[in-house]
Amino acid sequence: MLRLLFWIAVIAAAVWFWRTFKSPAAKRERASEPGAALMVRCAHCGVHLPQDRALSSRQEWYCTQAHLEQGPKSIQR
């Protein structure tokens, strides 16, 4: 019985170490995806959109020309 508990503990420790060392590598790969676009928030309505599709004015981003013309909302969410 003691041998069985010993082997269960060894296998559980091996699985835990394997998951611990495998996990950070997967997170690094996901964070550095070359196709991932930087997202920005519209200063008027608050919608998030890719930076390459947003319009910029005075370090603020807008989703449409109409929102750019209206400017930022006075109460930020």
Side-chain angles (χ1 to χ4, degrees):
M1 184 68 169
L2 189 59
R3 286 183 184 173
L4 179 63
L5 291 176
F6 172 76
W7 284 111
I8 290 174
V10 168
I11 292 171
V15 169
W16 180 77
F17 277 119
W18 181 70
R19 286 185 179 178
T20 301
F21 290 114
K22 182 183 177 214
S23 181
K27 288 180 185 175
R28 270 187 260 121
E29 289 175 12
R30 191 177 309 141
S32 64
E33 288 183 18
L38 180 63
M39 302 294 281
V40 294
R41 185 173 185 252
C42 177
H44 185 78
C45 66
V47 71
H48 288 84
L49 66 155
Q51 185 177 5
D52 61 348
R53 302 183 95 197
L55 304 171
S56 175
S57 173
R58 292 180 283 175
Q59 297 182 352
E60 294 177 332
W61 298 95
Y62 299 93
C63 60
T64 63
Q65 184 66 32
H67 284 182
L68 176 67
E69 293 168 1
Q70 293 172 1
K73 275 227 169 163
S74 60
I75 299 175
Q76 291 290 332
R77 295 178 206 163

